[in-house]
Amino acid sequence: QVQLVESGGGLVQPGGSLRLSCAASGFRRKDLGIGWFRQAPGKEREGVSCLSTNHELTWYADSVKGRFTISRDNAKNMVYLQMNSLKPDDTAVYYCAVQEPVRSWPLPEYDMNYWGKGTPVTVSS
């Protein structure tokens, strides 16, 4: 059974950092696209960052380039999103999602196969 579980969200002051984690289990393929998406109150869900396990590709939204870093630990089946220099505009629920196999790039929000339930991030003083 495929499962994605996010953790690491919380309340942080502007300029602070958080590391989100996504625990992935139940996948049989090695060709996966794993992405982080977010949805702010009153806004549509948008892509933040993604990686391709087979092709060593990564992508970042312009709004987070230079501040966020996506990484993975294959041994632990974990994907991380390190978020630095956080801004109030980063406030959202963050979701981990998988496209299996990878068929489009960057990973589009409308064509993901599996989603986690999300973890909330609030950036406020």
Side-chain angles (χ1 to χ4, degrees), residues 27-120:
F27 293 97
R28 296 185 178 182
R29 290 177 181 263
K30 293 186 177 181
D31 179 18
L32 301 176
I34 305 174
W36 285 98
F37 299 81
R38 67 185 180 186
Q39 187 166 22
K43 295 186 178 180
E44 294 186 352
R45 191 157 50 186
E46 62 177 359
V48 176
S49 181
C50 54
L51 61 81
S52 168
T53 59
N54 263 15
H55 307 289
E56 301 295 333
L57 296 173
T58 58
W59 173 86
Y60 296 93
D62 288 343
S63 58
V64 306
K65 279 181 182 176
R67 301 188 298 122
F68 291 11
T69 303
I70 191 170
S71 62
R72 61 188 173 119
D73 184 330
N74 290 338
K76 297 181 179 180
N77 292 325
M78 297 290 292
V79 176
Y80 305 101
L81 186 69
Q82 178 66 44
M83 305 188 297
N84 298 329
S85 301
L86 283 161
K87 305 175 181 180
D89 284 349
D90 296 317
T91 295
V93 178
Y94 284 71
Y95 300 88
C96 176
V98 167
Q99 188 182 73
E100 182 189 29
V102 177
R103 48 188 177 270
S104 49
W105 192 261
L107 301 178
E109 182 269 340
Y110 57 83
D111 192 24
M112 304 302 287
N113 296 106
Y114 306 100
W115 289 89
K117 293 184 178 181
T119 183

